Amino acid sequence: MTAPVRPWLLPDLPVVLVSHRGPVSFRRDQTGARTASRGAGGLVTALTGLASSLPDAVWVCAATTNEDMAVAGEHGDQAVEVTLEPKPRVVGEADPAVGSTSQPGCVKLRLVQLNEQAHDDFYTVIANPLLWFLQHGMYGLAHAPRLTRREHIAFEDGYRAVNQRFADAVVEEVTVRGGRALVMLHDYHFYLVAEQVRERCPEAVLSFFLHIPWPGPDAWRILPPAWREHLLTGLLGNDVVAFHTEGFARNFLLTCQELLGLPVDLQAMTVDLGDRQVAAHHYPISIDVAAMRELAASAEVAEHARGLREAFCAGDRQLVLRIDRTDPSKNIVRGFEAFATLLADHPELLGQVTFLALLQPSRQDVPEYADYLAEIGAVVARINASYVREGHEPIDLRLQEDLPLAVAAYTVCDVLMVNALADGMNLVAKEAVLVNTHDGVLALSENTGAHQELGAFAVTLHPFDIQQQADALYAALTMDPGLRRARREAAALVVQENDLGKWLAAQLADLPIHPQPSR
Ligand code: F6P
């Protein structure tokens, strides 16, 4: 899936994209052959459209598998061209007929090889959990976090070292493009890159987009002063720092004001560094509407939808759905507890309603995530044992990633539950309301970026209040059919009119990268 980028919005200078996960990852199969798979997730989908529309773009990302490292090594650690369609692979490899010149649908990838210990410290000690938990407000401060020598070493030799490696790679890519390029940095993995690139490539235009929440200044006091200053001054190396919501952008300015003592303008949304200003903008990310509709209309999805309808929607039976990574920020355990409360309060629903949870195991090398997955299994077993009736278990938990099945489930569900503790946006909510054909109700956490656009058409969930979530699920399941339809259609229209192309276009239009009209 790629998002269309209107040609007149494309920058007139080369683009260097930077994210931790790239659009393709390589492995060896059992026969020893190299295989490649597309990266999943909103960030990758969003950037793929841009990268493949531009003739001279390079995507700098981490080599996260042994085979990624082999590919990088074979190309002397320089960018390698990959095709994404119909199946991802290195251009010229396995199918020499494809040739090796740049072509539409190709992306240049610079896979950055990292020392294993450094990457582990960067990813499993600092980025996830520390920054992720802090930014999603997930710490119970009486017990966590505990910053010991281990974390101090991980910040220096992991987070800072990996950011340094990425800055070096970006500087090389900008330099081979003549020193002037648009560098688009993505997410909390790379707060320190812009400052270093600006020093060494003063003509580069630097933008940063954060895909997760930015909390207010007090949350950042969890970090040692030197760390938070590094993170903030690193970010202020950008020309623009962008977020999903205005609230996150405002929090960022207030953090610069309070923790760095810098003057900020909350009207103009800028922070003043003396010799230049940094803008804090907000652009709510979205989905590729045409691609999602195309997938929803495919034969594979239709086949899955038939099976799901037979299994869960016969007669007047109803289906509650959730689709998430097994991330503690998604609040999956409380969601199941709310469903159990619903069944306890309304026993007439037993056997009538099923909760289908399609969950993708995530970040299992981070202990907090492994523990959370175990907790999910335990709570589901407990609830199913308590509420099983005539062989019908109320929760169907599937730990797998299957996009066509997920989209089929979107189309047939009666209620989609999104009860995240905090979420930068939440694209599941947008995908589901777009393609649902059952006038399904969106039950949406007030703490998601998506709630700002879709909350008016949703049943709002308060993520810490299990009873409220149970009552809200009941309201959704018993909602008047006319109201269900009107709300679903209104929500779909909002998504349709604010698709991924608009998200990209708004950012590109605001950057100083377009040729000035000649007078
Ligand atoms: O922005 C959230 C994010 O980090 C995305 O970059 C990514 O798609 C998703 O979470 C999953 O994270 P990870 O790459 O750590 O599996």
Side-chain angles (χ1 to χ4, degrees), residues 21 40-41 43 123 128 132 187-189 211-212 325 362-363:
R21 291 245 180 232
L43 184 157
Y123 187 82
N128 316 296
W132 184 274
D187 244 352
Y188 56 101
H189 311 90
H211 293 258
I212 66 172
R325 288 185 301 106
S362 180
R363 302 179 184 162

Side-chain angles (χ1 to χ4, degrees), residues 21-23 38-45 360 401:
R21 291 245 180 232
R38 294 281 297 268
L43 184 157
V44 161
T45 307
Q360 178 196 344
E401 186 177 10

Side-chain angles (χ1 to χ4, degrees), residues 209-366:
F209 194 93
L210 183 67
H211 293 258
I212 66 172
W214 185 281
D218 284 348
W220 293 94
R221 292 189 187 280
I222 288 173
L223 300 182
W227 296 20
R228 60 202 193 214
E229 277 161 33
H230 280 310
L231 300 182
L232 286 170
T233 54
L235 266 176
L236 291 172
N238 289 285
D239 295 288
V240 174
V241 182
F243 304 85
H244 285 312
T245 70
E246 191 177 1
F248 298 153
R250 199 178 310 113
N251 282 345
F252 171 67
L253 294 179
L254 293 172
T255 309
C256 293
Q257 182 181 50
E258 199 165 314
L259 300 186
L260 294 183
L262 291 170
V264 302
D265 182 336
L266 293 175
Q267 294 299 314
M269 296 298 278
T270 53
V271 47
D272 196 347
L273 302 182
D275 56 341
R276 64 188 183 88
Q277 292 187 328
V278 178
H281 289 168
H282 69 283
Y283 309 97
I285 198 170
S286 192
I287 58 169
D288 183 343
V289 166
M292 181 45 63
R293 282 196 167 136
E294 195 182 321
L295 179 58
S298 69
E300 192 179 1
V301 166
E303 187 55 37
H304 279 305
R306 231 186 325 277
L308 291 171
R309 267 195 300 271
E310 268 172 36
F312 302 117
C313 310
D316 54 2
R317 290 174 60 199
Q318 297 201 81
L319 180 64
V320 178
L321 173 70
R322 81 172 302 144
I323 298 183
D324 280 306
R325 288 185 301 106
T326 55
D327 191 310
S329 68
K330 303 294 183 186
N331 205 17
I332 296 165
V333 170
R334 280 199 195 85
F336 286 137
E337 288 171 351
F339 185 65
T341 305
L342 168 81
L343 297 178
D345 290 352
H346 301 280
E348 72 280 10
L349 294 179
L350 282 170
Q352 285 297 108
V353 179
T354 310
F355 193 160
L356 174 63
L358 303 179
L359 303 181
Q360 178 196 344
S362 180
R363 302 179 184 162
Q364 289 301 293
D365 41 2
V366 179

Side-chain angles (χ1 to χ4, degrees), residues 170-171 174-175 179 196-206:
V170 171
V171 166
V174 172
T175 306
Q196 299 183 40
V197 176
R198 175 173 290 280
E199 264 171 41
R200 293 149 71 189
C201 304
E203 284 186 72
V205 177
L206 289 144

